[in-house]
């Protein structure tokens, strides 16, 4: 089976745990976009692993993890992640971690530009300040440094010099900032390039020749952070939807069998931007505390709200979802009433189609009766309280897609198959 897995909301849907489960069956796990703005958490035997760049499949023996060309790499973060995983006993070598030569490298000026631009903006985006946007800007401006450039000292030196001329100029003139020293940066990053060099692999050649199956494409962020189809401009700088999986990895010869969409049983968002079902006050606190809704990358408190099925339905269509996964159902345990958005209103009128902009949208809710029993110990759908089953069944019928899995806790085993 070749599968793509994507988030159907604003990221943080709990994809890491599902990937950890699904990759039991698949051989190759592929990241195809984003960078270390992402943070996937997996809990194994009480130990928490947070992944920013390496696919979480690395925890499973015998799997190959791939970082595709659509990913932007901060070498310091990647090396730190490799070192930290190795120190926890996880085996990582060029045999099980392969990186595309065409990944773009995030340099210190990208992170700085990200922070400075954000500070200057009147309308903030709330970026993770990891340099993601500025690195993608350099990619399309054709001045970026790719992994293949980075590991070749001559090319790296030439490209870095020319980039620093330009960046230092902007930093000094527009932001009044101190310039970066070419020598210091070159010397420091040349050492990092040496560490990453053995992991570089022509993915197309390697996988085409091997004619391997069992690919799992692991999306980062979520549909409404997509640079084109998300809540622009409050989005990330890459295409996060399923149609980018093959483009962002270069593995276009892989035939996709399944597209899995992950949705949380409620909604969250980090950063700025419209969020029709957002809750303020005690309900929001409830979700934040019970669901540990703090960014895995930045630690920022996530904004929380009810499940928005109008939004998720749009994501199901955009990604051509064939199977659904519902996560964090247990967070709803103990609520007397649960609300789900099933229609949108704009200026008092019900909308017949999905709006171009989610600003000033009013949600129309359907109320569900909550349940008092803990769902966490459930391992079969029939173990769930009747009201929880009704909640899941309503989601499935509204979206027209069956839920293959339901997650009821952060532990690896807290998952039930439908
Ligand atoms: P950037 O990707 O750092 O440029 O941030 C752009 C927007 O995407 C901000 O609102 C971030 O909070 C959000 N974002 C980026 N990555 C993630 C993620 O992995 N989960 C949730 N939100 C994210």
């Amino acid at each position: 089976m070749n599968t793509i897995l994507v988030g159907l909301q604003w990221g943080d849907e709990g994809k890491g745990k599902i990937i950890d489960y699904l990759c039991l069956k698949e051989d190759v796990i592929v990241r195809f976009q984003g960078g270390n703005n992402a943070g996937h958490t997996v809990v194994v035997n009480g130990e928490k692993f947070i992944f920013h760049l390496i696919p979480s499949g690395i925890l499973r023996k015998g799997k190959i993890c791939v970082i595709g060309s659509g990913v932007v790499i901060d070498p310091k973060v990647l090396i730190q992640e490799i070192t930290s995983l190795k120190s926890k006993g996880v085996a990582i070598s060029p045999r099980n971690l392969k990186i595309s030569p065409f990944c773009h490298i995030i340099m210190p000026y990208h992170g700085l530009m990200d922070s400075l631009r954000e500070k200057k903006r009147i309308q903030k985006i709330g970026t993770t300040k990891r340099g993601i946007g500025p690195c993608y800007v350099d990619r399309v401006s054709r001045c970026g440094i790719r992994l293949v450039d980075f590991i070749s000292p001559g090319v790296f030196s030439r490209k870095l010099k020319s980039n620093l001329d330009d960046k230092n100029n902007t930093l000094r003139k527009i932001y009044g900032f101190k310039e970066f020293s070419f020598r210091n940066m070159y010397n420091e990053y040349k050492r990092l390039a040496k560490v990453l060099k053995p992991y570089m692999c022509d993915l197309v050649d390697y996988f085409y020749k091997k004619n391997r199956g069992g690919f799992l494409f692991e999306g980062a962020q979520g549909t409404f952070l997509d640079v084109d189809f998300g809540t622009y401009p409050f989005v990330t700088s890459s295409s996060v939807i399923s149609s980018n999986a093959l483009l962002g990895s270069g593995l276009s010869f892989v035939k996709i069998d399944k597209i899995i969409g992950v949705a949380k049983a409620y909604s969250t968002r980090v950063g700025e931007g419209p969020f029709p079902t957002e809750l303020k006050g005690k309900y929001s606190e409830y979700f934040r505390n019970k669901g540990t809704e703090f960014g895995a990358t930045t630690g920022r408190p996530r904004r929380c709200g009810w499940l928005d099925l109008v939004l998720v339905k749009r994501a199901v269509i955009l990604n051509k979802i064939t199977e659904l996964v519902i996560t964090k159902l247990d967070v709803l345990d103990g609520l007397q009433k649960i609300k789900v958005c099933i229609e949108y209103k704009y200026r008092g009128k019900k909308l017949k189609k999905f709006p171009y902009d989610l600003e000033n949208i009013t949600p129309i809710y359907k109320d569900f009766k909550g349940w008092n029993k803990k769902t966490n110990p459930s391992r079969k759908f029939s173990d769930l309280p009747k009201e929880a089953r009704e909640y899941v069944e309503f989601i499935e019928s509204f979206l027209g897609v069956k839920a293959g899995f339901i997650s009821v806790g952060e532990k690896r085993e807290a998952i039930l198959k439908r």
Side-chain angles (χ1 to χ4, degrees):
M1 280 294 232
N2 297 312
T3 306
I4 300 174
L5 182 138
V6 289
L8 301 180
Q9 292 152 317
W10 282 285
D12 309 317
E13 294 93 350
K15 298 182 289 293
K17 180 185 159 179
I18 308 303
I19 284 158
D20 173 62
Y21 184 87
L22 290 176
C23 68
L24 269 177
K25 286 200 214 134
E26 311 297 5
D27 296 330
V28 188
I29 299 91
V30 187
R31 270 284 302 266
F32 55 89
Q33 47 71 225
N36 61 307
N37 46 353
H40 287 171
T41 310
V42 181
V43 181
V44 185
N45 301 327
E47 192 169 7
K48 207 175 219 176
F49 293 86
I50 299 180
F51 296 91
H52 297 293
L53 279 162
I54 301 175
S56 46
I58 205 84
L59 295 178
R60 304 276 191 190
K61 269 204 183 112
K63 307 292 168 186
I64 296 184
C65 288
V66 170
I67 301 181
S69 52
V71 176
V72 286
I73 295 178
D74 183 325
K76 281 191 179 168
V77 174
L78 180 55
I79 293 168
Q80 156 70 28
E81 204 162 303
I82 294 173
T83 314
S84 147
L85 284 165
K86 276 186 175 171
S87 76
K88 289 178 174 177
V90 180
I92 305 186
S93 74
R95 260 191 294 161
N96 65 347
L97 178 64
K98 302 190 181 293
I99 309 175
S100 164
F102 307 126
C103 286
H104 279 249
I105 301 294
I106 299 182
M107 298 299 293
Y109 44 81
H110 291 130
L112 181 64
M113 291 278 197
D114 201 357
S115 300
L116 293 173
R117 277 185 194 153
E118 182 71 5
K119 221 184 210 170
K120 247 194 158 128
R121 274 186 195 113
I122 296 168
Q123 195 181 41
K124 310 273 182 224
I125 292 172
T127 75
T128 58
K129 301 191 177 122
R130 298 299 190 261
I132 308 295
C135 184
Y136 278 118
V137 167
D138 281 1
R139 180 172 89 154
V140 292
S141 301
R142 291 154 295 176
C143 64
I145 297 171
R146 303 165 303 168
L147 181 60
V148 63
D149 308 322
F150 188 45
I151 59 152
S152 155
V155 181
F156 178 46
S157 155
R158 181 170 51 75
K159 288 200 160 195
L160 181 63
K161 218 176 250 161
S162 136
N163 270 314
L164 276 182
D165 278 350
D166 180 49
K167 311 291 178 198
N168 276 336
N169 206 14
T170 310
L171 284 171
R172 193 182 58 244
K173 287 192 181 145
I174 300 191
Y175 298 101
F177 219 82
K178 207 172 122 243
E179 300 188 358
F180 283 110
S181 139
F182 165 78
R183 196 43 53 204
N184 292 350
M185 197 181 289
Y186 177 71
N187 287 337
E188 185 186 4
Y189 274 71
K190 197 174 62 176
R191 280 196 293 275
L192 304 179
K194 261 195 191 153
V195 181
L196 294 184
K197 188 174 176 181
Y199 294 96
M200 190 175 91
C201 169
D202 182 335
L203 303 176
V204 180
D205 194 51
Y206 181 82
F207 288 109
Y208 189 69
K209 276 191 187 147
K210 282 214 160 348
N211 195 19
R212 294 183 73 124
F215 286 90
L216 175 60
F217 294 87
E218 157 180 349
Q221 288 87 45
T223 302
F224 295 93
L225 289 175
D226 184 274
V227 67
D228 295 306
F229 300 100
T231 48
Y232 192 91
F234 308 100
V235 292
T236 192
S237 301
S238 63
S239 294
V240 313
I241 59 173
S242 60
S243 36
N244 188 39
L246 297 181
L247 182 63
S249 59
L251 305 175
S252 317
F253 46 88
V254 173
K255 187 184 161 295
I256 300 300
D257 303 292
K258 242 191 200 184
I259 306 179
I260 299 180
V262 185
K264 216 182 294 209
Y266 50 99
S267 309
T268 61
R269 164 162 215 173
V270 215
E272 305 302 318
F275 181 175
T277 61
E278 182 170 16
L279 290 163
K280 304 273 178 203
K282 71 174 183 146
Y283 271 118
S284 184
E285 287 294 313
Y286 171 90
F287 284 123
R288 190 168 306 127
N289 295 329
K290 194 156 176 201
T292 331
E293 295 297 355
F294 295 89
T297 301
T298 56
R300 289 181 289 176
R302 294 178 186 144
R303 298 157 63 193
C304 303
W306 297 116
L307 176 63
D308 183 345
L309 281 182
V310 181
L311 186 98
V312 177
K313 175 89 188 175
R314 175 77 166 180
V316 163
I317 297 167
L318 276 169
N319 290 288
K320 204 170 182 278
I321 297 300
T322 59
E323 186 179 317
L324 191 69
V325 175
I326 301 171
T327 59
K328 292 193 147 182
L329 186 70
D330 55 305
V331 175
L332 303 181
D333 295 355
L335 284 175
Q336 288 197 343
K337 197 162 74 180
I338 299 164
K339 285 172 177 284
V340 174
C341 170
I342 51 162
E343 272 182 292
Y344 283 161
K345 240 195 230 174
Y346 180 71
R347 293 190 174 159
K349 271 201 184 140
K350 277 190 189 175
L351 294 184
K352 289 206 174 66
K353 61 183 205 56
F354 194 80
Y356 297 123
D357 187 348
L358 290 184
E359 214 75 66
N360 301 316
I361 292 292
T362 313
I364 301 176
Y365 290 111
K366 177 176 168 64
D367 289 352
F368 285 82
K369 204 165 162 264
W371 51 90
N372 262 325
K373 215 177 121 190
K374 279 197 183 323
T375 53
N376 187 278
S378 310
R379 293 296 174 265
K380 296 195 301 290
F381 189 64
S382 55
D383 293 341
L384 290 174
K386 179 172 142 282
E387 293 82 1
R389 278 183 271 136
E390 282 170 5
Y391 186 70
V392 169
E393 280 162 357
F394 179 80
I395 296 172
E396 292 179 323
S397 76
F398 190 98
L399 299 176
V401 198
K402 280 268 169 215
F405 298 93
I406 297 158
S407 168
V408 287
E410 66 169 6
K411 288 195 183 134
R412 217 176 214 179
E413 52 286 1
I415 195 161
L416 45 104
K417 201 167 167 3
R418 259 319 230 127

